[in-house]
Amino acid sequence: MSAVFKNVMDAIDIETFLVCSSESEGKELAIRMVKDMGIQDADIVFIQYQGPGARVRVRGYVHKPGANYGWLNSKT
Amino acid sequence: MQQKPILLAPLDPVHDIGLKIMKRSLDEAGFETILLPPDYKAGEIINTAMGNDVDTILISRTLGYGVADLLANFVDLAEAAGIRDKVKLAIGGMAVRPELAAELGFDAGFGPGTKPEELLAFIENKEYVPDKSSAVKEKSNLTEGYTYQYKHQGMERMLDQIVDSIMNWAEGKTSPAVKRAAIREKMLINQGEAENLELLSQYLGYSDEMVQDFYNDRKIPDKCRPLGQDEIDSLERYVEATKERMSAQKLQHVKDNPVVFIQYGTGCPFMDIAHIKTSEAWGADGAVHFDPSWAARTEGFLSGYLTHEQDGSIITLENLAQTKKHLQPSTIWQVRAHRGLNTPETVLLAGHLGADMTKINIVYGSLGAGTDPERMTVDAIAAIKYAAKFGMPFDIVTNEELCGVPAHKAFAGMLIVNHLARRLGASTVLQPLFCYSPEMMINGGMDDNYIDFNAAKIMALRQVIDAPIWPGAPIGFLTQDEDRVQSAMTTALHASLAASLNVDAISIASSDEAYSGGPIIASSRIDTLRATKEAFRFFGSAGIQPTVKAEEMVSTLVSGIEQVLQNVLDKGCFVQALYDGILGSKEDGAYPGRSGRGTITIE
Ligand code: B12
């Protein structure tokens, strides 16, 4: 996981277009992409699949409310 | 004043608008300028500079392609011509990054969004100090200038009678919440430890077991966590540092209204503060505290700094005080009290801590939020008295509409609570829903557009009474989906309609409002704040025109409200009317709440 993530207030949303052949494939790819970044708490916020692929908004929570926030302790 | 002329030249095949903006402000400031047309070669620009004995050259470049080579070449030629050391050389434009300009040996680089004042400061060798005067926000008072006079005298007479009967009914009745609030009032002024302990034990006598266990055995409720001192200290540092760097934007363009509220309640007071600071920075004028639904069904409050992983942030004196302390002075702070078993005490705490507003609605609290109607009425009267005592206005939110109750019934309820509040000396704000209401989803009344019915609601209320209106909560509810663009867009459109109707305030959602898989996040709040700002810019003092259908809807609404008030009068008792579905029936989707049932006692 990138050290920069400690500066993420709560979550990252990645919005992109994935070339894929079904909505479920799009979901699976999107979640995997976030997990590959080292963020386990990943979820699809929005997905719309049409023939060419899927428009996705996939979210990875870095700091959920109540957790220990990296940005509170960070000096930056 | 500078003597020699300033040369402005687009080093670009076409783009020169930005440069012309700069020229205008230089001219206005009294400088002599020479502007070249686009598509000149570097050599031609330098020749012009030499031929006119200028001492400043301002280049503009928009196209990103080959920008580094082009600019480097320009500097080389200027050096070769022997003028580099004799002139001030700056570059601006969409393709310019200050770092690049510095690297290439320009005296300054001005990127996208440059203000003419920045250039003027550079020319006059001054440090650029951003003018923050436009960012100094004043706190708005939503109720100012309203008379609360009725324009519909028939309704005023009915409301008078209904409120008389409510006051008669409530005479001598009390509840555990009313008692706790009275005890809390003493605790808030009392300093003595022994007395406080005695007061606490009285307080616990009117509280639920969970609250008793918390105080007696330090048993922390499930999923809750007390925040440590080190965490509190680092929050202080974080907020202080943030405040120093902060300047708040203004969302409104030409009008002062509507002021824009965000709603917070992430579960964690720290995350709340982080979200509030972010929202303030991006222009929010107010923030509404959301408490968790379990707390609304619990008799009594916990204490200390508490966080939990659920929706809504726990109300404790300390949590609220912490939030309040970190707000911008201009931020309107509202603490909701409208629906649960702690209504009077919530209003008391809010008032004590200096909140600007609270939220009370007997009808929503008892038909949509699970509190027993009898209990809700007794508690609300006590709560309204506290609101009046603190001079703290409250809004009357008609969220029962979200359960399916038709607007005319919800409005009748709102007007009753409003009239009761005025009788008790409090100021109010009417809060109609401004969304795609379930009533209309079912009967198809909004199949053509989202404008007519929302506009009709505002117009109908204005036909009845001269009172402030704050549509919510939030606007565009049930039109948002999980997509960022769609939800920011629909929020902005509803904000435009609200602005066009000249209402006093709106509450907006984030662009992840419709996502139920996890907490709302800060960047999504910025999406809708930015979208709202853009909508205000787009419409300015222009407006949105409803169709003729809106007028028909207005008269249907007004006569509907009248009929419901008559039905309440015929029933003879407002509380019984709540139980019997006159202000929203089971068929509509309203269910008299059970929480707190049987707890009313006679003093
Ligand atoms: C208007 C415009 C045009 C107009 C230009 C008219 C004119 N007289 O300027 C026309 C229609 C002619 C045009 C044409 C082209 N355009 Co054009 N155009 C734009 C557009 C819409 C706006 C640019 C603009 O003027 N913004 C408003 C000004 C006020 O902003 P600004 O320039 O950034 O200026 C500010 C700051 O940068 C700074 N500043 C600017 N200069 C200076 C100088 C100094 C000294 C200082 C201090 C500050 C400063 O201060 C200003 C105020 O804050 C943009 C896209 C967009 N939406 O932004 C595309 C854009 C710039 N164009 C683009 C392109 C590609 C072209 C074409 C090449 C397309 C083509 N292949 O045909 C053609 C040019 C063809 C040709 N003949 O060579 C691209 C550039 C992409 C890139 N990677 O470089 C853009 C970004 C659109 C896009 N996304 O594709 N364009």
Side-chain angles (χ1 to χ4, degrees), chain B residues 8 12-22 38 57-65 90-95 109-116 118-119:
Chain B
L8 298 101
D12 195 284
V14 290
H15 301 94
D16 65 354
I17 303 170
L19 197 62
K20 284 176 175 162
I21 295 175
M22 296 301 152
I57 305 176
L58 303 175
I59 302 294
S60 180
R61 174 72 185 183
T62 298
L63 289 182
Y65 308 102
I91 167 91
M94 271 167 97
F110 299 93
T114 304
K115 296 194 170 53
E118 295 178 58
L119 175 62

Side-chain angles (χ1 to χ4, degrees), chain A residues 9-13 15 43-46 55 57 59 61 63-69 71-73 75-76, chain B residues 225 231 234-235 238 266 268 270-271 274-275 278 307 309 482-484 511-512 515 517-519 521-522 524:
Chain A
M9 185 170 276
D10 32 33
I12 54 158
D13 272 5
E15 295 194 24
D43 194 18
I44 302 286
V45 177
F46 170 77
R55 173 78 172 105
R57 178 187 189 184
R59 176 169 297 182
Y61 283 101
H63 298 120
K64 272 199 165 160
N68 286 310
Y69 313 125
W71 42 266
L72 261 194
N73 308 312
K75 295 279 169 282
T76 46
Chain B
R225 178 172 80 83
E231 288 176 289
S234 47
L235 177 77
Y238 162 80
T266 61
C268 173
F270 289 12
M271 188 63 96
H275 276 206
T278 306
T307 180
E309 267 182 50
E482 295 86 346
D483 173 36
R484 192 171 64 91
S511 75
D512 54 359
Y515 167 65
I521 67 171
S524 299

Side-chain angles (χ1 to χ4, degrees), chain B residues 32 52 68 74 81 95 105 139 199 205 240 243 251 261 378 399 415 474 490 495 499 514-515 518 534 550 566:
Chain B
E32 190 193 335
N52 289 279
F74 187 89
K139 191 183 277 191
L199 288 169
E240 284 319 311
K243 274 184 184 164
L251 296 177
F261 283 84
V378 170
N399 269 356
L415 290 167
T490 188
Y515 167 65
E534 190 56 29
Q566 188 57 53

Side-chain angles (χ1 to χ4, degrees), chain B residues 442-511:
Chain B
I442 295 161
N443 75 17
M446 291 173 91
D447 282 355
D448 182 80
N449 63 67
Y450 293 149
I451 295 175
D452 291 341
F453 190 57
N454 282 317
K457 285 177 169 178
I458 309 297
M459 296 190 279
L461 288 173
R462 285 189 176 142
Q463 280 194 9
V464 175
I465 187 170
D466 176 42
I469 302 180
W470 167 7
I475 53 168
F477 230 15
L478 293 145
T479 66
Q480 288 122 348
D481 74 18
E482 295 86 346
D483 173 36
R484 192 171 64 91
V485 176
Q486 189 278 348
S487 53
M489 173 85 177
T490 188
T491 293
L493 290 170
H494 282 81
S496 309
L497 179 59
S500 155
L501 290 160
N502 271 316
V503 300
D504 302 279
I506 52 174
S507 297
I508 64 165
S510 58
S511 75

Side-chain angles (χ1 to χ4, degrees), chain B residues 144-216:
Chain B
E144 202 174 278
Y146 286 97
T147 61
Y148 295 93
Q149 261 160 23
Y150 286 89
K151 296 179 195 154
H152 192 298
Q153 268 70 36
M155 274 195 210
E156 182 175 14
R157 275 191 300 277
M158 288 193 269
L159 286 163
D160 259 334
Q161 291 176 42
I162 294 171
V163 167
D164 285 344
S165 82
I166 297 176
M167 295 305 287
N168 278 336
W169 174 90
E171 186 66 41
K173 292 195 170 75
T174 189
S175 79
V178 177
K179 300 259 196 214
R180 279 197 308 275
I183 299 167
R184 173 75 77 167
E185 239 186 312
K186 292 187 196 153
M187 289 164 97
L188 288 175
I189 44 175
N190 206 306
Q191 308 298 335
E193 204 167 310
E195 260 173 285
N196 272 348
L197 272 176
E198 166 54 26
L199 288 169
L200 179 63
S201 95
Q202 288 176 22
Y203 183 94
L204 294 180
Y206 296 107
S207 301
D208 277 349
E209 206 180 312
M210 187 241 269
V211 176
Q212 292 167 352
D213 290 349
F214 175 83
Y215 286 95
N216 293 332

